[in-house]
Amino acid sequence: MFRSGSAEVMPAFAQLLRRIGPMFQEIENQLVIAGHTDAVPYQAKSVFAASNWSLSTDRALAARAHLLAGGMPTTSVLQVIGMADAALLNAQHPESPTNRRVELLVTTKEHAHNVRETFGPLTERQMFTPELESSVIDTPLLQTLKDKLLRPLQSSATVAPAGAL
């Protein structure tokens, strides 16, 4: 799907993505687009340099762009993620070109709900699926987590002497 070190989609794969883009107009469930790399590391050593993490994310974004160009609705995508070489398709040959890929995962309603619970509401009020509204009001697990995380901070703030923080 990709040349080594590149996020440019190979022509045959770009054509395939554009041809399947319209199919997602008929699918209610959203996609997770996951980009992957082989195990060949980038040569740059800086923490801000390109890496297999950024390359895999760029590959997922490139696939999204071709799907959109083919007619997929923008609301069809739930997440775009980069996996680097953390989930090799061909673990016996970690440098194999088959590891340089993108996966399109159609989410279940339960998965979409779990993502919303984990990351909070969308920036726009839109539906993940017909049954799930992107409102923080109906996320009791998120509220419980916030309460548990803030409770120690609130109790230490009441006990700590002035200027101790």
Side-chain angles (χ1 to χ4, degrees), residues 38-41 88 90 93-100:
D38 57 28
V40 177
L88 296 171
N90 187 346
H93 302 283
E95 296 180 358
S96 170
T98 59
N99 293 312
R100 300 190 301 259

Side-chain angles (χ1 to χ4, degrees), residues 33-112:
I33 303 174
H36 299 269
T37 67
D38 57 28
V40 177
Y42 266 71
Q43 299 302 314
K45 302 296 182 203
S46 165
V47 294
F48 297 106
S51 67
N52 280 354
W53 289 103
S54 58
L55 177 59
S56 62
T57 302
D58 290 345
R59 287 176 174 173
L61 288 168
R64 177 186 175 273
H66 283 285
L67 288 163
L68 291 172
M72 179 183 76
T74 57
T75 56
S76 292
V77 179
L78 175 63
Q79 286 180 307
V80 176
I81 59 174
M83 296 290 295
D85 60 346
L88 296 171
L89 186 63
N90 187 346
Q92 299 298 321
H93 302 283
E95 296 180 358
S96 170
T98 59
N99 293 312
R100 300 190 301 259
R101 69 192 190 284
V102 169
E103 294 174 331
L104 306 177
L105 308 163
V106 178
T107 64
T108 63
K109 290 176 171 79
E110 181 182 0
H111 179 255

